[in-house]
Structure formats: C-alpha cells, structure tokens
Amino acid sequence: MFDIAILGQVALGYSPFIDRSRNVTATRLTIFSLRPELALDAAELLHAVAGVWPAGGARVSLNVTSESLLRDLLGSGLPTNVMVEVPAFMAADEANVESIRRLHRDGIQLLIKGRPLTELPREILPCFKYSIIDVVDDRRLADPRPVPAGVTRSISHVQSGVRSVGAMDESFKRGAVAVLGWPFDDLSGQAASTRSTIHPDLQVIVELINQVDHEEPIERLEQTLKRDPSLAFKLMRYINSAAFGFQVEIGSFRHAIMLLGYQRLKRWLALLLATASKDADMQPVMFAAVRRGMLMEELTRATSDEAMRNEIFICGVFSLLDCMFRQPFDVLLKSLPVSERISQALLEQSGPYQPFLELVKAIESESRTDYLEAADGLLMSVTEINRAVLRSLGTAIQLG
C-alpha cells in the first residue's frame, strides 16, 4: 500500500491538534523535502495520505515545507477530511489566489501560517478557517491583558509549538481554539510527587501484567479481570478492533488468551495501562504513547524475532509512563516487569532499543535534521522509516 516513490524523497513528522477539552481532533503530518532540486509528485503524496486517512475518515492537516509541492497540492482535488497549511507569503501571492478560492469552495479547510509581509488580497482572507501562530511569535505574549469587549479576531487561531501543559493552558486563555504540539515537557517524572507509584484504579492492570509475565493459569487471570469490568470491556474492544485483523469476534478473555498467547496479551495490557488515565491533560500523552509503541514495532517489522517486536512495542508505550504518573522510571519499574533491554532504554537511555526511541522522538519533534541523524544511526532508509510511520498511524486509528 505504501510502495510509493515519494516516500524515499521526504522525511515525515507528526503531531496532534488538541482542542480546549484536551481531545486530539486531528493529526498534523509534516513533509520535508530531502532534495530541494527534485520535483515531488503531489498525486503520490495524496495517495500515501489516503492510505491512512481515507476520504470521510479521520482528519489530517498537511504541513508541506516544499513550496513547489505545496503549490501543486493547492491545485489538486482534495477530500474534505484533508486540511492544508498555507504559509502567509504564498497566500499573498496572486498566482495562488484562484487555487485557494477553489479549495475553499470545495469545502477544504485551509489554515494560514505565519504573518504576511504584504497585505493579503481581500478575497483570500475568508478562505482560511484558522491562522496558525507559533508560541514564540505570538505578540500577545508581551501583553497578557484580556482582549477588550467587542474586539474579535477575523480568524480564530491555532497555537503551534506548544510543549508543556502550562503553555497549553496559557494558549487557551489567550483564545486559541486548538494547540499543536506535544504538551508534556513539564510532566517529567523527575519532578515526582510523593503519592503511590501507580494509582489504585490501575492496580488490576499491573497485577494482570505481572500474572501474564509469570504465565499464571487462565483461571487466575480471569478472576483478576473480573474485579474490573470496565477494564475487561476495554481489553475486548482492543482485541476486536480492526488493528488485530481477526476474522471472528473474540467473545471471552479465555478465547483471547488462546489466540494471542501470553506475550502478545502482555503488550495489550501495557497499552491499557498507558491509556487508562482519566485526567484530560493526559489525552495527548496517551495519544503519543500508543503511536510510539506502534511505530517502534513497525520499525522492527522486518525482523523475524516476534519477542523483540513485542518488547519494543512495550518499550514505546511505556516510554511516557513517567509523564503520566509523575514518577521517575526507577520507581515505576519496581512495580512492572520489563526486560533488561526495555529497562536500559527507559532508565539509562542506552541499549539496543534506545536508537529506535530517539528516532521516534525526532519524528514527533518534526525535525528534519534530527530525523536524518537518527536514521543514519540505525542505518535505515527514509523509505523504510516513512512506511513505518504511515503504517503505525493507520493502525493507531484503527484502534479507535
């Protein structure tokens, strides 16, 4: 599905759109050209995007850094779930006016990025649903006073470059309708609280992970699971999702164990633990954790070592537990059985899984330089990496 030439010519990154309720409403896909002199095919890009975000499906915003590719994209037919970010200097260019107006008429959401150096054509401004303003460029940071009554912005804005819960809160106070970024830099476990390591509501999951790790009898696992019916429901929902690809519906926990086996079951319990928080501010963290696990597994898809793929999946999912539980990993991992390779990556930033985790972080940061450096360290081609990115994003969407 992703045997497409353009995936060898670009570097991909992604981040979430987060609304005021802290829900992730869309994914931003950033596309960096690796060779500016090479003409990129907009149709190939849209074909790759459609493999993850088909028409009528989840929403994606395309942040294309190549001016020529973006100009061709503006001239293409787009499904309405695909949004396009347009730099202000291109919006001010008369050569792009008709394409922008046509997309607007077709119901495509357009976002203007940055401040125009010249006045925009009058007919263009209404074509943009939102403006994207980076935190460091937001002139209102220097004037925290509330906007006077009766004064409104002509276009609602999305705040980009948000890296902490505090920055997210401030952005919404300044009137942002959404933020772009990963707001968990200030949730590090290094500033741990004194509360218990794992919240009591999650102890059933931790107990199950330990029981599965010891391959205890199914009857024991079933008894533990019965203590938390909501957990049992969520686990069965995961297992019956399209991501598993089972041809028959799994009707019981016992049936699931028989089909999955203990080690594959452990990885999905790890996913449950990483997505069990009821704290709204944790929604972006959980979004990232799922995708980290999926992406790290996809990056090792070529290996025949299933045990390694299961481990590296858990490593990715667990890599943000310190943010979720505000505890350092040396405390958290006393309660959770993990392999030495996972422990090395999370505790020591070393070992065979660490380079994969660094690549995932580079992709999340939407940094072309970090992406290429991490790719070189793993001796992986950009084609392999980009295919893994798209497959993992598609699988995460299937989980729901």
Side-chain angles (χ1 to χ4, degrees), residues 60-134:
V60 60
S61 181
L62 301 183
N63 177 32
V64 179
T65 64
S66 163
E67 184 177 345
S68 60
L69 177 59
L70 180 54
R71 185 174 290 111
D72 290 345
L73 194 65
L74 293 175
S76 304
L78 302 174
T80 54
N81 63 316
V82 173
M83 302 180 286
V84 181
E85 301 176 23
V86 183
F89 76 89
M90 288 187 66
D93 188 339
E94 290 286 350
N96 298 317
V97 168
E98 186 49 43
S99 293
I100 291 172
R101 293 182 67 187
R102 178 186 58 78
L103 288 175
H104 176 62
R105 288 195 302 268
D106 290 345
I108 305 303
Q109 284 195 9
L110 301 172
L111 300 88
I112 188 169
K113 187 170 54 177
R115 292 197 185 91
L117 299 179
T118 59
E119 187 174 355
L120 293 176
R122 183 179 297 273
E123 66 270 29
I124 283 294
L125 201 57
C127 296
F128 291 99
K129 178 72 172 179
Y130 304 114
S131 61
I132 297 177
I133 303 175
D134 195 89

Side-chain angles (χ1 to χ4, degrees), residues 177-195:
V177 296
V179 299
L180 264 170
W182 301 100
F184 45 71
D185 280 1
D186 55 350
L187 296 176
S188 169
Q190 300 306 310
S193 69
T194 57
R195 68 187 183 189

